[in-house]
Structures are given as C-alpha cells and as structure tokens.
C-alpha cells in the first residue's frame, strides 16, 4: 500500500504496564490477557488517513529489555513522538515515570527538537486504582506533557492518544518543511543579490 508520509513513534515504561497490549490493540483491535513478554516484535505498523493523506505510523516497542533498563541510543533514534506508559493499578510504575523521562532526556533533547511526548495511564478498566486520574494529570502538567488514560483491554482511549500524537508529529513535519522552504527562499534571494551586485560591478566598470 502506498502512503504519503511517515511518522515514527516509540513507547516506553516499566515492564508489564501494557505497552505491547496498547500497540496490539491499536493495530489489530485485539487484546491478549496473557503476558506477551517475548513477542519479539520490534515495531508495530499501521496506515491511517489524516486530512486526506495516508500516514504510515511505525511505533517501536521494547522487546522486554526495559526490564533490565537496557534501552540503547538506537532505540531513541529518529523518534518523532514518545509515549510513556504506567499502570494506574500499580503505584511503582507511576513513580518510575521520572526514571523513564530522565532516560529519554539522556538520549534526546525533547524540548529543543520539539518531540511531542505524552503520558499514558493504562489499565483503567481495573477498579482498584493506586494512582488517581488527578495525580496523573498533575504529574504530566508539571512535566509539560499531555496526559491520557487508556485500557488496552477494552480499547478505551487507545486510538485517541496515538492519533493525538501523530497529529502533533505531522504539525512538526509541516513546520520543518516550511522552515526549510524559507531557508531555500533566503538562499535563493542571497544568490540573486550576489548576482545583481556582480552585474552592477561589471556594468560600472563598462
Ligand atoms: P508490557 O510489558 O508493557 O509490554 O505489557 P504487556 O502488554 O505485555 O501486558 C502485561 C500484562 O498486562 C498482560 O497480561 C496484559 O494482558 C495485561 N494488560 C495490558 N493492558 C491491560 C489493560 O488495559 N487492562 C488490563 N486489565 N490488563 C492489561
Ligand atoms: Mg512488551
């Protein structure tokens, strides 16, 4: 299938928070109750239409190495948007968000490179929460990130948060394109000016 643009995202967070389940739900509409630690899939892919353009969305998933906190520079390469996930029924995974944010920041400059980042509280179908929605929202706000809640099990919120992130990335791509365009125009103008000056010189001589 053909596509107009590409969008590359990555997902990060403690092991068992539901990262693989969120991506499986998004791409196949399915949910697996069993722990999928060794799916061995590096990335998930889905084509979706935004504003009449087909976008190839590629989302990198950790293949279990997050358990050893062993994510490499390569994992972060070319990421245009980031999802950081915790499990609302497990306080530890919420407290570890700080670690994951630090870890991302050692590899990429989120602010300077305008990498849109969202925080996702997953497993909201579980009645006994250890993290209230307000606490998730407050933390995300402090970090300057958007906050979403999902259930990979029921599907609630999954499409919305990924589509939000893709839209942000597409906006960035557009801005970069127009920045490039204006640089090209400036270069063109500078060249023309130079030519003009040369001409002036030559003509003055004559
Ligand atoms: P990962 O290690 O972050 O990739 O987590 P997985 O996607 O492998 O999920 C870990 C476990 O949590 C699996 O048993 C899933 O079935 C379960 N799980 C994932 N998402 C949800 C959810 O939204 N609700 C519930 N109740 N369980 C979930
Ligand atoms: Mg996984």
């Amino acid at each position: 299938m053909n596509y107009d643009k590409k969008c590359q995202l990555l997902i990060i967070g403690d092991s068992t928070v539901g990262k693989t389940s969120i991506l499986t739900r998004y791409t196949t509409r399915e949910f697996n109750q069993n722990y999928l630690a060794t799916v061995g899939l590096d990335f998930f892919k889905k084509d979706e239409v935004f504003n009449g353009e087909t976008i190839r969305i590629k989302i990198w998933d950790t293949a279990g190495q997050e358990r050893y906190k062993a994510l490499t520079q390569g994992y972060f390469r070319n990421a245009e948007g980031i999802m950081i996930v915790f499990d609302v029924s497990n306080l530890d995974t919420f407290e570890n968000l700080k670690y994951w944010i630090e870890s991302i920041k050692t590899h990429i400059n989120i602010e300077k490179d305008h990498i849109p980042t969202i925080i996702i509280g997953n497993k909201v179908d579980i009645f006994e929460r250890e993290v209230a929605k307000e606490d998730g929202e407050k933390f995300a706000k402090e970090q300057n990130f958007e906050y979403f809640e999902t259930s990979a099990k029921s599907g609630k919120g999954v499409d919305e948060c990924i589509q939000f992130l893709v839209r942000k990335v597409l906006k960035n791509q557009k801005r970069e394109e127009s920045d490039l365009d204006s640089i090209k125009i400036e270069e063109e103008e500078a060249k023309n000016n130079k030519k003009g000056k040369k001409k002036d010189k030559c003509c003055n001589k004559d």
Side-chain angles (χ1 to χ4, degrees):
M1 200 170 137
N2 284 333
Y3 57 90
D4 300 304
K5 283 182 183 150
K6 281 194 288 190
C7 168
Q8 186 139 233
L9 311 177
L10 68 81
I11 198 163
I12 200 170
D14 277 7
S15 169
T16 75
V17 294
K19 300 180 297 299
T20 304
S21 299
I22 289 172
L23 301 185
T24 305
R25 165 64 74 182
Y26 177 60
T27 51
T28 70
R29 315 269 108 215
E30 283 168 5
F31 175 73
N32 193 332
Q33 192 71 54
N34 303 319
Y35 179 47
L36 309 168
T38 50
V39 283
L41 249 191
D42 286 336
F43 64 85
F44 286 75
K45 211 169 63 179
K46 179 166 169 158
D47 291 341
E48 256 203 282
V49 176
F50 289 82
N51 296 326
E53 287 182 311
T54 304
I55 312 299
R56 172 146 300 176
I57 302 156
K58 196 169 169 184
I59 312 175
W60 290 90
D61 187 17
T62 51
Q65 64 289 35
E66 77 276 24
R67 213 168 323 160
Y68 318 105
K69 306 238 185 299
L71 297 179
T72 60
Q73 176 79 30
Y75 187 65
F76 296 90
R77 196 176 301 141
N78 302 327
E80 295 173 290
I82 303 174
M83 295 183 260
I84 314 172
V85 188
F86 72 97
D87 170 354
V88 299
S89 71
N90 181 335
L91 184 59
D92 284 348
T93 67
F94 180 63
E95 287 175 344
N96 279 337
L97 288 178
K98 279 210 172 88
Y99 164 81
W100 290 114
I101 293 169
E102 278 315 303
S103 164
I104 294 166
K105 286 184 174 170
T106 61
H107 295 285
I108 36 185
N109 193 333
I110 297 180
E111 280 100 23
K112 187 171 156 276
D113 297 335
H114 306 287
I115 309 285
T117 303
I118 61 172
I119 296 200
I120 301 174
N122 186 42
K123 306 200 189 182
V124 290
D125 57 280
I126 295 179
F127 189 64
E128 283 169 15
R129 290 176 67 134
E130 287 188 0
V131 184
K133 188 176 182 187
E134 296 71 41
D135 292 334
E137 283 170 342
K138 184 164 168 265
F139 176 78
K141 204 169 181 191
E142 282 164 8
Q143 301 287 331
N144 251 336
F145 299 147
E146 293 288 333
Y147 181 68
F148 290 86
E149 294 205 328
T150 57
S151 164
K153 187 172 183 178
S154 74
K156 189 178 168 203
V158 169
D159 286 359
E160 287 84 347
C161 70
I162 297 177
Q163 286 164 355
F164 172 89
L165 198 54
V166 172
R167 285 206 174 88
K168 284 251 167 181
V169 169
L170 293 175
K171 240 186 216 169
N172 277 351
Q173 291 180 352
K174 235 186 207 149
R175 197 183 51 202
E176 272 164 27
E177 265 172 33
S178 75
D179 281 355
L180 268 182
D181 282 350
S182 59
I183 290 172
K184 270 187 205 153
I185 291 170
E186 276 168 23
E187 281 176 356
E188 204 56 38
E189 280 174 356
K191 248 192 230 165
N192 287 341
N193 269 343
K194 254 189 195 168
K195 271 188 201 159
K197 272 182 191 153
K198 268 186 194 161
K199 228 184 207 168
D200 284 351
K201 263 186 196 166
C202 99
C203 300
N204 283 344
K205 262 185 200 167
D206 286 353

